[in-house]
Amino acid sequence: MKPLRVIDLQGSPYAMGYVHGKRFHDEIHMFTEDRVRLCMDEKWTGHSLSRAAVIELAEACVAEHIAYAPELMEELRGMADATGLSLAELVINNGFTDFIDVVYNCGGLARPTSRVANNCTAFMLPGARSAAGVGYFGQTWDMHASATPYVILLRGEPDDAPAFLAFTITGCVGMIGMNSAGICVGINNLMAADGQIGVTWVFVVRKILQQTSIDAALACLTEAKLAGAHNYMLMDKQGRGYEVEAMSTRQHVRPLREETIIHTNHCLIQQNLDAERERPPESQASSRNRLLRAQELLDNPAANLDDLMALTRDEVAICTRPKPPMHVESCGAAIMCPASGEFWAVWGPPADGSYQRFVI
């Protein structure tokens, strides 16, 4: 795989979005159209909807995004002007996996879904279990293999917020990242039956990256009206951290203590189980197998960076290759050390590529 593509963004939110949109105009169009099409497919959402019906739901979410993060929506507005796409279309591009939860629950009586494209494996390693004595966060980012060509890294210097690095895809404001204040955040997708008109996860991620304290970062999540379900992991440069298993309408917050936290793509909190949408059997088995494998690989009192990279490259269970019917792939991975400001990322299956090091 080629080196990860990096785009530098500076200035006002609008200017940052406009530059992003101009640089990747064609790719953003192609990826957005693909995501809108999937939202019309009952295999993904439980409904066979018209494009107009899908866009109507996305337009309802736009107002929630503006209320939650107006400056980030200015960034999206810049991207919209650069690409000619609507804000509603770009909300689908950005928050596709959350938006599927919205369509599932808001489009009427849903049928069981047979498609899912999220096999991410994420972990937080506390300083107490790190050879370096400092905390690390890491994860694979798994999606339908068609998403791999669109992976990029944003290197942002906003006028009125901390500088940040964000692993993402073209047209998306950020999926996994760390800022210059030492706040980092990553995610695992979950499948919610309680999706609602609300804010999609990538805007929560970027709002977290606008904060300078872990408590303010956590509040960005716990106070949000979430559109769909994700598991979030947050950490700061002092090693404080939280895992939040968040459905659309309920959340469970777990502080990082002295044990490693690992999560894949099924709910682990009892109170969330009745709000979880059923996964296809092969996807559920993958999630459970990856969790067990990651626990085995990180059963180490002094793990180091090489151990963490090796976990993401593990082809027994974690580094995923596309196969029918899901065609899911590990499209990339990221590892962050907030204490040192170091960020390592790889484009494509980690077993096939070399990590690149960045410093915020």
Side-chain angles (χ1 to χ4, degrees), residues 67-98:
Y68 175 74
E71 65 290 342
L72 294 177
M73 288 304 285
E74 274 300 297
E75 187 172 327
L76 207 68
R77 197 177 303 279
M79 198 181 304
D81 286 350
T83 60
L85 293 168
S86 68
L87 291 177
E89 289 170 314
L90 289 171
V91 163
I92 294 172
N93 170 310
N94 275 253
F96 171 69
T97 48
D98 269 3

Side-chain angles (χ1 to χ4, degrees), residues 35 49 71 132 136 149 255 360:
R35 281 345 191 212
L49 297 182
E71 65 290 342
Y136 287 85
I360 186 66

